[in-house]
Each structure stands twice: as C-alpha cells, then as structure tokens.
Amino acid sequence: MTVSSTYTDKVYQITGTTTVFAWGQDYDSHYGSLVVTEETAATGGTVVTTYVEGTDYTISNRNVVFNTAPSDTTHYIRITRDTYRGQPVEFHEGEDFPAEDFENALD
C-alpha cells in the first residue's frame, strides 16, 4: 500500500442550507481528530468559529454532518485533520503479530 505524503484540507462555501460536508476519508479518533472551522475566506481567512464534534456536528459515512446548517453564506467551512503523532499500538516479543493491528498502526 502506498501512503500519500500530501494532504489537502476540504473547503466548502456555506450555502445556508447544507448540513452534510464530505470528508471523504475513514475516521478513527484513536489516530487524531478532525478540526472543523468557519472562516472568512477560502484561503487564509480569519477563523470565526471552531465547531465541536458531538455538539455541533457528527461524523457519519466519511461526512461531517452539522446539526444545524451554518448560515453565513459569505463564509467557508474548512475540514482538516489533527493527526496524533505517537505510536498507538505496542508490539512485544513473543506475542502474536496481527496483520490488521500492524496495518492500522501505520495508516
């Protein structure tokens, strides 16, 4: 499997009615978190709001789903990830070496 060395934030203009924004990737909170913000411009805008998972939105089927549609149509939604930099799994000599655990630890 090839691991991409680049990552691009997802940016969407607010329509006032849209509640579902595509994230497009699997999400596992053990390996980091998503950061969902409302900004004044598509690139380099001022952060107006940082949304809270479980309060403002949920993650479902690779999508960020807002409870209520963001309403300021001059602003943008930015979805980015904050990746955990540690090693979330330990392997010990003499123990089983499950392939799935190894693969998930490196993804």
Side-chain angles (χ1 to χ4, degrees):
M1 172 174 60
T2 302
V3 177
S4 173
S5 62
T6 60
Y7 168 76
T8 304
D9 294 352
K10 305 292 186 199
V11 179
Y12 301 94
Q13 184 157 12
I14 294 173
T15 65
T17 59
T18 302
T19 57
V20 179
F21 297 87
W23 166 240
Q25 298 180 21
D26 288 330
Y27 173 73
D28 186 338
S29 62
H30 290 99
Y31 302 109
S33 60
L34 290 185
V35 178
V36 180
T37 56
E38 182 175 326
E39 301 181 5
T40 57
T43 57
T46 301
V47 174
V48 176
T49 304
T50 300
Y51 293 102
V52 177
E53 183 181 358
T55 301
D56 301 310
Y57 70 90
T58 58
I59 299 169
S60 177
N61 298 322
R62 297 181 174 196
N63 295 311
V64 171
V65 182
F66 281 89
N67 300 329
T68 303
S71 60
D72 190 333
T73 58
T74 65
H75 289 177
Y76 296 81
I77 293 295
R78 176 177 303 277
I79 306 171
T80 190
R81 63 182 177 193
D82 183 14
T83 305
Y84 175 66
R85 304 270 187 226
Q87 184 66 23
V89 65
E90 292 183 27
F91 298 104
H92 301 281
E93 187 175 338
E95 289 184 351
D96 289 340
F97 192 70
E100 185 175 336
D101 289 349
F102 180 72
E103 291 169 1
N104 288 337
L106 299 178
D107 283 345

